[in-house]
Amino acid sequence: MKAELQFDFLVNKEKNTITIKRAFAAKRQLVWDCYTKSELLDRWFAPKPLITKTSFMDFREGGHWLYAMVEPGGQEYWGRMDYQTIRPIDHYTSLDGFCDNTGALNPALPRSQWSVTFSDAETHTLVETVVSYASAEALQQVIQMGLKEGLASTLERLDELLLTLN
């Protein structure tokens, strides 16, 4: 990550939320596309050395994205993002959860609500993501699973992709 780009990871244990604020050196439309098009998500949405593969994506309100993060040895970790509201290049909300390769949610792992806002910040785009969990236990579980470190690595991959697309 470039030193001048903002990255904040704020945990609110009273509200069971994590707020991630991250700046990207690209125009908002391009950053939006990277968050909402499977062919671009597959190029960055996993921490190194994992890769992302999309099984299905229907980016519209009521649609969903079924994807896997894949280790170099082939182990797959499936996720499902259900889109709730969409305001193109400004904001979307969704429900994210762990699942199997058919999209059936794993009730043993926490599901979260994502509120993702894109805004212009001088020559950069600022993305603010508020992730809400149903309980303090669920919040603590994802923190212990390494969410902060994984997210930092994943967002660095987006920086690298944006350099090739700008």
Side-chain angles (χ1 to χ4, degrees):
M1 182 177 78
K2 293 180 180 178
E4 72 272 9
L5 297 177
Q6 178 181 357
F7 177 57
D8 297 326
F9 186 92
L10 309 167
V11 177
N12 185 326
K13 292 184 177 181
E14 293 178 4
K15 294 183 178 178
N16 303 324
T17 62
I18 299 171
T19 301
I20 302 109
K21 295 179 183 176
R22 181 63 154 76
F24 296 97
K27 297 212 179 274
R28 184 166 25 148
Q29 180 66 59
L30 181 57
V31 176
W32 172 266
D33 289 346
C34 286
Y35 271 79
T36 61
K37 295 182 177 181
S38 63
E39 65 271 21
L40 294 172
L41 283 161
D42 284 351
R43 296 172 64 183
W44 71 272
F45 196 79
K48 291 180 181 178
L50 284 73
I51 61 169
T52 304
K53 72 174 186 180
T54 294
S55 173
F56 175 82
M57 184 167 199
D58 181 13
F59 184 72
R60 63 175 174 84
E61 293 181 358
H64 73 274
W65 177 39
L66 178 61
Y67 63 95
M69 292 184 187
V70 184
E71 290 185 348
Q75 175 70 41
E76 298 177 342
Y77 304 96
W78 287 89
R80 178 183 172 123
M81 182 87 67
D82 290 281
Y83 298 105
Q84 298 177 306
T85 63
I86 297 171
R87 284 193 337 249
I89 84 163
D90 290 330
H91 182 81
Y92 73 85
T93 60
S94 60
L95 290 172
D96 187 50
F98 298 93
C99 64
D100 65 16
N101 64 355
T102 69
L105 292 168
N106 180 344
L109 294 173
R111 195 157 199 217
S112 57
Q113 176 152 22
W114 288 49
S115 176
V116 185
T117 303
F118 301 77
S119 59
D120 297 321
E122 298 179 14
T123 60
H124 301 98
T125 296
L126 181 64
V127 179
E128 180 176 303
T129 305
V130 179
V131 186
S132 303
Y133 294 90
S135 68
E137 293 78 20
L139 173 66
Q140 190 60 33
Q141 185 177 7
V142 296
I143 290 171
Q144 289 176 340
M145 291 169 67
L147 178 66
K148 182 177 182 180
E149 297 77 12
L151 195 55
S153 174
T154 300
L155 296 176
E156 286 176 14
R157 282 188 128 167
L158 179 52
D159 284 331
E160 294 167 8
L161 175 60
L162 289 168
L163 285 174
T164 69
L165 299 174
N166 270 330

